[in-house]
Amino acid sequence: MPSLTTIANSAARDLGIMDSGGSLSAAQLADALTAANEILDNWSIDGKTVLSELLTSFSLVAATNSYTIGLAQTIAIARPARVNAAQLILTSGPSMPVKVLQSVTEWDAIEDRDSSSYLTKFLFYDRGHPTGKIYVSPKPLGGASIEIATWVPLTQFSDVTTSITLLPGYELPLRLTLAHKLAPEYNMPFSKEATERLAMAVASLESLNVQHWSVAGPAAVAA
């Protein structure tokens, strides 16, 4: 479980701006913290760098077609970057897929979306921040729930000293990507060898994720 300080100092050594055993200054670590969290944030919305999906169920409330999603909201999970798939779970009978719409244009195109039914057919996630909303159509008559599949955001560094748990295979590409991002600030070249190492590390990570999605299903392979 590395801290930002550990990752950033290793990145600095990769760039050749610091000897083994040294450490970046507080100001330099603050810059590295911002850069590393930007990298993790970007990876959290890319299907090739997100490894895991979260399955979450929420109950449908009669005559209610919108539900907040986020920490301490109706659907109480970390605000997802995307809803990839959904299914309706009835109190009796088989479950059935719900079509996930990825644009407000698709949502607006639904005819009579305020009609009511026990069978929810469509779901739209508005990706609001910090709290998102999920809309469903037709309006439910109750007695059912929906299970959604969402990308799990990668954990970010809260500060420069607190360690986080990185998924297997993520530490090396994060370190090298951070080094590449910081190189211009230190007026240091990013060597051809380092570029090749970074490409190989990211390719290995993406290959692992593509294998995962091809086994788990096509819902989130490419966004």
Side-chain angles (χ1 to χ4, degrees):
M1 295 192 297
S3 67
L4 184 277
T5 298
T6 300
I7 295 286
N9 284 338
S10 296
R13 287 191 287 273
D14 289 329
L15 288 174
I17 63 174
M18 190 175 65
D19 294 330
S20 178
S23 183
L24 296 173
S25 68
Q28 290 170 325
L29 287 172
D31 290 340
L33 174 65
T34 299
N37 281 338
E38 287 175 351
I39 294 167
L40 292 168
D41 184 54
N42 286 333
W43 285 357
S44 289
I45 61 172
D46 187 338
K48 293 177 292 184
T49 46
V50 174
L51 179 59
S52 54
E53 257 183 323
L54 177 68
L55 297 177
T56 304
S57 296
F58 64 96
S59 297
L60 294 174
V61 178
T64 301
N65 72 338
S66 67
Y67 304 82
T68 57
I69 185 168
L71 297 177
Q73 300 302 315
T74 301
I75 308 171
I77 60 174
R79 175 196 170 276
R82 174 186 169 106
V83 175
N84 298 311
Q87 66 173 339
L88 178 68
I89 303 173
L90 301 171
T91 52
S92 61
S95 61
M96 57 189 64
V98 174
K99 184 175 182 180
V100 177
L101 308 178
Q102 296 296 348
S103 74
V104 70
T105 301
E106 291 180 287
W107 174 254
D108 287 341
I110 298 174
E111 295 183 5
D112 196 20
R113 65 171 180 262
D114 286 330
S115 61
S116 298
S117 173
Y118 285 106
L119 301 180
T120 299
K121 297 179 180 179
F122 304 100
L123 181 148
F124 172 64
Y125 171 42
D126 69 2
R127 305 185 194 182
H129 188 274
T131 300
K133 272 191 177 181
I134 282 181
Y135 298 85
V136 298
S137 179
K139 284 184 178 179
L141 291 173
S145 60
I146 287 182
E147 182 182 74
I148 56 174
T150 60
W151 281 338
V152 178
L154 296 170
T155 302
Q156 296 195 354
F157 295 98
S158 59
D159 52 49
V160 301
T161 58
T162 302
S163 297
I164 65 171
T165 300
L166 291 172
L167 294 169
Y170 278 76
E171 184 170 344
L172 179 59
L174 175 59
R175 189 186 90 202
L176 294 174
T177 304
L178 179 60
H180 182 265
K181 192 175 181 69
L182 294 177
E185 295 187 22
Y186 296 104
N187 197 28
M188 294 293 293
F190 198 69
S191 69
K192 179 181 178 181
E193 178 185 357
T195 300
E196 292 173 350
R197 290 179 64 205
L198 173 56
M200 290 178 62
V202 172
S204 295
L205 182 63
E206 293 179 351
S207 175
L208 173 65
N209 291 344
V210 167
Q211 292 175 31
H212 171 77
W213 296 129
S214 61
V215 171
V221 171

